[in-house]
């Protein structure tokens, strides 16, 4: 065959040839041949490659093998190119609908043996469930057609080309095409056939499509069936055995709605499903039916008549080795993990997932916002000039995408909202998509965040709105106009249910302030919660030249343009490890709330549709973290939305130890997603007897000295600590710097209610300008008494006139050694500080400090605006486990509310430290790590951290909050750390 023109890659049409109309993804008993497995594969650098490979007799013996499904850039250690990551940027020139001639093109071939009995089949279909991006298909040398829409299902009629016996299927896949302009989602670009490929024998009298619309209202259920089939398929029978439904329709005209009795409704908390079959003489289709009604009444979004609050996450399909290739066992465990962390909703950002995922969502129970495969975000760079969303030339492509989205997944009860896509501007094509959905499905509303004025959508949606802005959205009497709205449009949008389709950007250490969003949802019924961005990191497992494994992000694969580690923004790390942010989310959105009042507790059930009959309530009392009493709390079943007040057990209070009462709501029996005793909700109450903090002992008679002396078990040289209990220890060194988090590095301009000083400039950059990462000290004085040592230092940075005065006083207090550090900043500081702390260096010596036990907040890290998951208790950890292995090293591991800690070396206790509250009752926190903040800040990946021979203990009087400024609001004022005077008091004892 001659060398073909590659112009068709710039065709905006969604498909050509014998492409079939969209229909449901059905579980049918018709014959099928899975074509997953090894295919022959060749990669070419351009689209202009001869087509002779599609011929039956073509010799592909010198080609490679590649598994289908897979992404060719993730195979064979880069032999077929490398993945590339962009968030907003297009990785090719913005020249719609054209793409470069340098267009990696993968050719696939395989033989398939078709049974002889298929020759009498009405039609043979070849189905592709996901191919990125544009692909063409041949069977036995006959061109069948082409299709675009990477995360959509496409079926081709190949009847005319197939035959019994050996057949050759050939597929050409182009990485770039006109469709790529519509698929600029925040994710890796991963070309290839990455979902299932199947040959299907369709009988002449088969069932083409089924839609069982269901409803539930006031205890009554209904079924509104739609059967698509030729007249020859009838009679058709619907059976739902558990409900006694057995209906046969002689003709299509007989298919009418009907009521069903004795039905339990479906919800995300009680996902009751009924097995159903729709059968003709030639085919039987199996479905799992859930009865529920979705509606909007005024500004309320309701399912089965009750308001829904979405405690959701945005979910991409991502795996560090497979990319977007679906693995059902992994997906099931992923969704079970969501359930264990109180996640009840999924937005399928920004495309339909593998169809089996929605079967799992139906079964396990999730509210799903199903999103179309559409995003044109890169046009933002040119102020949306040429954006396809308002160009008639692209209308059919837009309509085809929404049709394939809705038709494929319309039978799923978990799908409660259709979303047109994401960050594609606005325009007539989106409005046309919405009109089509409204005409096709009257039982679900339409969402699209970019419709800021509410012209064609049913819910008001925003992303990364600040707490003050949401308060204005929630208030009917607010005089403020909403973003991009006129006053009249503002009224219209306030009359709709509001949800945050993205918020709380979970990038690196964070997000902070989740509880403030949840408090707004509790107060304002118009607010229906939202979806954290996002569920998991997208790291790709790779190795350094010496074989060290790590999770790669943008720029690690030689990309020309990329968005660095912005793809690492999940509540779950790439290796499935939940982050502290996910634990915080679980605590904030827990569906059972406890309010302590003297000797009673009020138990409130915030679930949508489940009472507390599946829960046990257990309590325990701890003295300084040691359990002294425990039992079950007799809580009557609390109805949905109800509250019951119950008496608390007697609490034995210790006079010389803190006393804490903890209540847990746990599963009474195992479920499909968690074992019995899994904790659903928890709360603590401080029952301690008051105990005063020891006063600072006044000393006089200070005299000048050289500062080289011994106090109890501490040694000093030149006024500086050099040893404790025979172990080398140096400090305290003033530490105002932390290795910037991704939020610290964020430059989001949403600075309402923020102490950020320069719009568009990150806190981290301001800290570096202020020199907080390179402080130096000048000792002003050293004085001592018989049992005390005092030093005064002025701490500043090069090229800075601002400074901090620190006074450190060591004194012997009985068997202990007390350190009191007074920290006082000068005027003139212009930015928030990351921390106010002191650092101690503990060189390894004979054995490193490698463990710690503490009484305070734990077990995971806590920060000022992220501490709801923390509880007061006694905890232990190895030093290597104190922090989180974020893909980009950053501040991690801080534990607030410290009372006492013990440092250990090889299970041998080394030192005891007691932290005393300051005069306002504020307790410090601590971090223990093998690298300094400065070392961590210089590393782009964990493997770049230097080898360490020292453990570093940092005790913080205060830390700056976390916020969400990597893509959203900054730290709110109540959690922002302005330069201020603070006191740290520590008492040291030998182990």
């Amino acid at each position: 065959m001659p060398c073909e023109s590659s112009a068709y890659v710039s065709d905006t049409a969604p498909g050509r040839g014998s492409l079939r109309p969209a229909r449901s993804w059905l579980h049918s008993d018709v014959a099928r041949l899975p074509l997953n497995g090894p295919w022959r594969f060749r990669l070419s650098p351009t689209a202009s490659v001869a087509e002779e490979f599609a011929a039956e007799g073509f010799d592909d013996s010198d080609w490679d093998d590649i598994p289908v499904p897979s992404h060719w850039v993730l195979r064979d250690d880069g032999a077929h190119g490398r993945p590339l990551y962009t968030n907003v940027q297009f990785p090719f020139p913005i020249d719609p609908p054209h793409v470069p001639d340098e267009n990696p093109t993968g050719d696939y071939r395989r033989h398939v043996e078709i049974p002889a009995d298929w020759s009498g089949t009405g039609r043979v279909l070849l189905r592709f469930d996901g191919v990125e991006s544009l692909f063409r298909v041949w069977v036995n040398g006959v061109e069948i057609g082409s299709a675009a829409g990477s995360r959509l299902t496409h079926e081709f009629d190949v009847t005319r080309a197939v035959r019994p016996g050996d057949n050759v299927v050939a597929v050409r896949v182009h990485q770039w095409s006109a469709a790529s302009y519509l698929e600029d989602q925040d994710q890796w670009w991963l070309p290839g056939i990455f979902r299932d490929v199947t040959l299907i024998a369709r009988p002449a009298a088969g069932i083409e499509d089924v839609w069982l619309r269901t409803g539930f209202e006031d205890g009554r259920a209904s079924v509104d069936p739609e059967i698509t089939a030729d007249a020859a398929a009838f009679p058709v029978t619907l059976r739902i055995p558990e409900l006694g439904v057995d209906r046969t329709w002689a003709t299509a005209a007989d298919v009418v709605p009907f009521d069903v009795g004795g039905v339990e409704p479906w919800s995300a908390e009680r996902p009751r499903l009924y097995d159903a079959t729709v059968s003709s003489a030639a085919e039987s289709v199996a479905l799992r039916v859930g009865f529920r009604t979705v509606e909007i009444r005024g500004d309320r979004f309701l399912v089965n008549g009750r308001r829904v609050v979405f405690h959701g996450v945005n979910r991409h399909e991502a795996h560090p080795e497979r990319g977007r290739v679906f693995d059902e066992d992994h997906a099931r465990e992923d969704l079970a993990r969501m359930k264990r962390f109180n996640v009840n909703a999924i937005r399928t950002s920004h495309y339909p997932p593998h169809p089996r995922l929605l079967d799992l969502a139906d079964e396990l129970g999730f509210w799903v916002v199903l999103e179309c495969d559409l995003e044109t975000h890169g046009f933002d760079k040119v102020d949306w000039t040429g954006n396809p969303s308002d160009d008639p030339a692209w209308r059919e492509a837009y309509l085809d995408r929404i049709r394939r989205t809705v038709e494929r997944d319309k039978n799923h009860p978990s799908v409660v909202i259709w979303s047109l896509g994401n960050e594609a501007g606005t325009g007539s094509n989106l409005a046309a998509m919405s009109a089509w959905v409204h005409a096709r499905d009257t039982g679900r509303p339409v969402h699209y965040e970019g419709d800021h004025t509410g012209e064609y959508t049913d819910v008001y949606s925003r992303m990364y709105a600040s707490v003050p802005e949401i308060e204005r959205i929630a208030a009917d009497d607010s005089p403020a106009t909403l973003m991009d709205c006129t006053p009249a449009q503002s009224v219209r949008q306030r009359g709709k249910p509001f949800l945050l389709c993205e918020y709380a950007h979970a990038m690196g250490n964070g997000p902070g302030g989740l509880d403030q969003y949840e408090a707004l949802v509790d107060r304002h019924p118009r607010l229906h919660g939202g979806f954290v961005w996002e569920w998991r990191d997208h790291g790709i497992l790779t190795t350094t030249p010496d074989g060290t494994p790590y999770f790669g992000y943008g720029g690690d694969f030689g990309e020309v343009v990329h968005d660095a580690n912005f793809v690492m923004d999940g509540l779950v790390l790439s290796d499935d490890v939940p982050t502290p942010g996910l634990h915080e989310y679980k605590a904030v959105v827990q569906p059972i709330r406890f309010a302590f009042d003297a000797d009673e507790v009020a138990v409130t059930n915030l679930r949508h549709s489940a009472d507390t009959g599946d829960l046990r309530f257990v309590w325990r009392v701890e003295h300084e973290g040691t359990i002294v009493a425990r039992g079950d709390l007799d809580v009557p079943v609390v109805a949905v939305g109800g509250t019951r007040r119950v008496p608390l057990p007697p609490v034995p209070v210790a006079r010389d130890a803190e006393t804490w009462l903890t209540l847990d709501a746990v599963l009474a029996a195992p479920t499909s997603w968690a074992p019995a005793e899994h904790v659903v909700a928890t709360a603590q109450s401080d029952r301690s007897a008051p105990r005063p903090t020891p006063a600072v002992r006044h000393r006089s008679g200070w005299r000048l000295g050289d500062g080289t002396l011994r106090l109890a078990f501490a040694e000093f040289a030149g006024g500086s600590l050099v040893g404790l209990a025979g172990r080398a220890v140096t400090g305290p060194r003033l530490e105002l710097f932390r290795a910037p988090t991704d939020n610290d590095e964020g430059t989001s301009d949403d600075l309402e209610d923020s102490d950020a000083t320069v719009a568009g400039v990150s806190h981290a950059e301001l800290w570096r300008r202020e020199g907080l990462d390179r402080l130096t000290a000048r000792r002003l004085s050293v004085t001592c008494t018989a049992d005390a040592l005092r030093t005064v230092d002025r701490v500043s940075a090069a090229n800075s006139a601002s400074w901090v005065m620190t006074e450190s006083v060591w004194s012997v207090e009985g068997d202990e050694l007390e350190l009191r550090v007074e920290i006082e900043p000068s005027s003139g500081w212009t930015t928030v500080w990351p921390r106010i702390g002191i650092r101690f260096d503990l060189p390894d010596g004979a054995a490193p400090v490698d463990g710690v036990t503490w009484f305070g907040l734990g077990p995971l890290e806590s920060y000022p605006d992220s501490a709801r998951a923390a509880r007061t208790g006694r905890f232990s950890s190895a030093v290597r486990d104190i922090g989180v292995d974020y893909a980009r090293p950053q501040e991690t591991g801080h534990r607030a509310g410290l009372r006492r800690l013990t440092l250990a070396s090889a299970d041998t206790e080394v030192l005891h430290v007691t932290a005393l509250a300051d005069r306002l009752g504020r307790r410090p926190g601590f971090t223990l790590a093998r690298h300094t903040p400065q070392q961590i800040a210089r590393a782009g990946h964990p493997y770049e951290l230097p080898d360490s021979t020292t453990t570093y203990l940092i005790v913080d009087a205060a830390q700056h909050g976390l916020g969400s400024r990597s893509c959203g609001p900054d730290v709110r004022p109540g959690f922002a750390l302005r330069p201020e005077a603070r006191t740290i008091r520590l008492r040291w004892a030998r182990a």
Side-chain angles (χ1 to χ4, degrees), residues 818-849:
E818 179 170 313
L819 167 65
R820 176 173 55 87
V821 181
E822 301 286 353
I823 301 166
E824 183 178 346
S826 69
S827 61
W829 292 95
T830 60
T831 183
V832 296
W833 279 353
R835 69 177 355 132
I836 302 175
I838 52 176
R839 192 182 95 197
F840 298 89
D841 298 3
L842 295 89
D844 289 348
V849 171

Side-chain angles (χ1 to χ4, degrees), residues 666-691:
V666 303
L667 291 178
T671 69
S672 59
W673 47 269
E677 306 301 315
H678 166 76
V679 177
V680 174
T682 189
Q684 275 193 318
S685 177
D686 186 356
R687 299 289 164 135
S688 305
R691 287 191 298 164

Side-chain angles (χ1 to χ4, degrees), residues 389-402:
S389 295
D390 203 34
D391 184 343
W394 296 82
R395 179 159 301 186
E396 185 53 36
Y398 275 59
L399 288 172
D400 181 76
R401 286 172 182 261
I402 195 64

Side-chain angles (χ1 to χ4, degrees), residues 423-484:
E423 292 176 320
T426 190
S428 59
N429 292 339
L430 287 156
M433 294 170 73
S434 179
W436 183 89
V437 176
H438 283 122
R440 182 68 176 119
D441 184 5
T442 60
R444 298 177 176 102
V446 172
H447 165 275
Y448 176 66
E449 188 271 344
D451 181 27
H452 295 156
T453 60
E455 299 293 333
Y456 47 84
T457 48
D458 303 307
V459 296
Y460 183 32
S461 175
R462 287 289 313 286
M463 55 175 66
Y464 307 110
S466 65
V467 167
E469 183 181 359
I470 296 172
E471 289 177 320
R472 293 193 295 271
I473 291 169
D476 286 323
D477 57 355
S478 173
T481 56
L482 302 180
M483 189 183 75
D484 296 337

Side-chain angles (χ1 to χ4, degrees), residues 803-832:
W803 43 265
V804 179
M805 201 69 72
T806 62
E807 179 189 47
S808 300
V809 178
W810 292 88
S811 60
V812 178
E813 307 291 344
D815 294 332
E816 296 182 316
L817 191 68
E818 179 170 313
L819 167 65
R820 176 173 55 87
V821 181
E822 301 286 353
I823 301 166
E824 183 178 346
S826 69
S827 61
W829 292 95
T830 60
T831 183
V832 296

